[in-house]
């Protein structure tokens, strides 16, 4: 067991990735505040983690609702014992956009983008002031592949990547670790809820939640801002970033590119 590191607040902590993070962060020295909608499932996770000897608190909150997000954000901004935020809560959609329920998409955008942003920005000022803190945001590999699943879900996860990279730049040298994790297909209840059972996916592309979290924490230990657990060669991510940045000098000019100019 590691020395105490403060308290980690984990959203979406009742199942899957969040529950595994709870176990691993407890073993790394964190007390826990577990947040999810189902109090029963939270209590079950807390009971399983009792043997870690950590202090475990549960908060039942629906983070698709503004009042619940505000309640958790208030805790993050006022509790000086919280030293880590693990933004894991999220929902997805695997169906076609033209068949989607717009209210469901709106809830997904709120949870995956707005709630994540509010919670991160509630926690970070105190982390920066104390020069100590950890922020982990769960994105997805579909952030890099908008043609997969549907563009709304992948768009929310692309936002998480961009948001995390911007935060990383802002807090550089301030004692705060910031990481975005891009899981591939992971064996969790996420798939059933999104309308595509995990059994429909080829088994060779499905990672266990335990392997995903352990790989992500290894990436954190290696000071990665972006961790893609399934990616064999991190140099490929470096090439992707280099290609993106190479566009920079030509993204803004006084005149349109020659191919867009009307010939008189």
């Amino acid at each position: 067991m590691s020395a105490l590191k403060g308290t980690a607040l984990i959203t979406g902590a009742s199942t899957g990735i969040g529950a595994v993070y709870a176990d691993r962060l407890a073993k790394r020295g964190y007390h826990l505040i577990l947040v999810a909608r189902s109090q029963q499932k939270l209590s079950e996770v807390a009971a399983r983690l009792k043997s870690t000897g950590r202090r475990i608190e549960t908060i039942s909150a629906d983070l698709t609702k503004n009042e619940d997000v505000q309640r958790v954000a208030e805790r993050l901004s006022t509790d000086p014992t919280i030293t880590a935020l693990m933004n894991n809560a999220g929902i997805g959609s695997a169906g076609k956009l033209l068949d989607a329920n717009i209210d469901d998409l709106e809830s997904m955008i709120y949870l995956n983008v707005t709630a994540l942003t509010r919670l991160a920005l509630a926690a970070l000022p105190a982390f920066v002031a104390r020069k100590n803190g950890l922020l982990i945001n769960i994105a997805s590999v579909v952030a890099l592949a908008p043609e997969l699943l549907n563009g709304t879900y992948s768009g929310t996860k692309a936002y998480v990547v961009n948001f995390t990279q911007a935060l990383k730049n802002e807090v550089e040298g301030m004692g705060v670790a910031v990481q975005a994790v891009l899981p591939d297909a992971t064996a969790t209840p996420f798939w059933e809820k999104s309308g595509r059972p995990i059994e429909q996916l080829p088994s060779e592309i499905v990672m266990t939640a335990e392997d995903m979290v352990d790989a992500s924490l290894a990436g954190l230990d290696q000071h990665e801002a972006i961790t893609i657990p399934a990616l064999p060669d991190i140099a490929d991510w470096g090439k992707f970033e280099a290609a993106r940045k190479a566009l920079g000098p030509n993204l803004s000019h006084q005149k349109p590119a020659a191919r867009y100019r009307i010939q008189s």
Side-chain angles (χ1 to χ4, degrees), residues 86-98:
M86 203 266 140
N87 260 326
N88 168 67
I91 51 178
S93 175
K96 294 181 179 179
L97 282 171
L98 294 181

Side-chain angles (χ1 to χ4, degrees), residues 1-3 21-30 49 52 54:
M1 299 292 285
S2 298
Y21 262 106
D23 174 79
R24 301 308 195 256
L25 291 179
K27 290 174 179 175
R28 282 178 171 237
Y30 289 94
L49 296 176
T52 64
R54 303 304 182 202

Side-chain angles (χ1 to χ4, degrees), residues 175-220:
V176 179
V178 177
Q179 180 193 35
V181 178
L182 283 63
D184 56 334
T186 307
T188 72
F190 166 91
W191 289 94
E192 189 72 36
K193 293 176 183 177
S194 70
R196 188 176 183 183
I198 195 74
E199 292 79 15
Q200 294 181 5
L201 300 178
S203 60
E204 62 269 19
I205 71 166
V206 178
M207 188 177 294
T208 68
E210 289 78 9
D211 282 348
M212 198 292 294
V213 173
D214 289 339
S216 299
L217 289 171
L220 179 69

Side-chain angles (χ1 to χ4, degrees), residues 122-143:
L124 278 172
F127 291 177
V128 170
R130 295 194 299 264
K131 299 187 185 303
N132 175 43
L134 168 63
L135 171 66
I136 301 174
N137 292 325
I138 297 297
S140 168
V141 291
V142 298

Side-chain angles (χ1 to χ4, degrees), residues 65-120:
K65 296 180 179 178
N66 181 65
E67 59 269 26
D68 282 10
V69 173
Q70 295 285 6
R71 180 160 54 91
V72 177
E74 176 73 11
R75 180 65 181 273
L76 284 165
S77 64
T78 59
D79 186 341
T81 70
I82 296 175
T83 55
L85 168 62
M86 203 266 140
N87 260 326
N88 168 67
I91 51 178
S93 175
K96 294 181 179 179
L97 282 171
L98 294 181
D99 297 331
N101 181 308
I102 188 63
D103 292 332
D104 292 343
L105 292 182
E106 187 173 17
S107 291
M108 178 177 67
I109 293 167
Y110 185 87
L111 176 59
N112 294 3
V113 173
T114 305
L116 176 141
T117 302
R118 282 190 173 276
L119 297 185

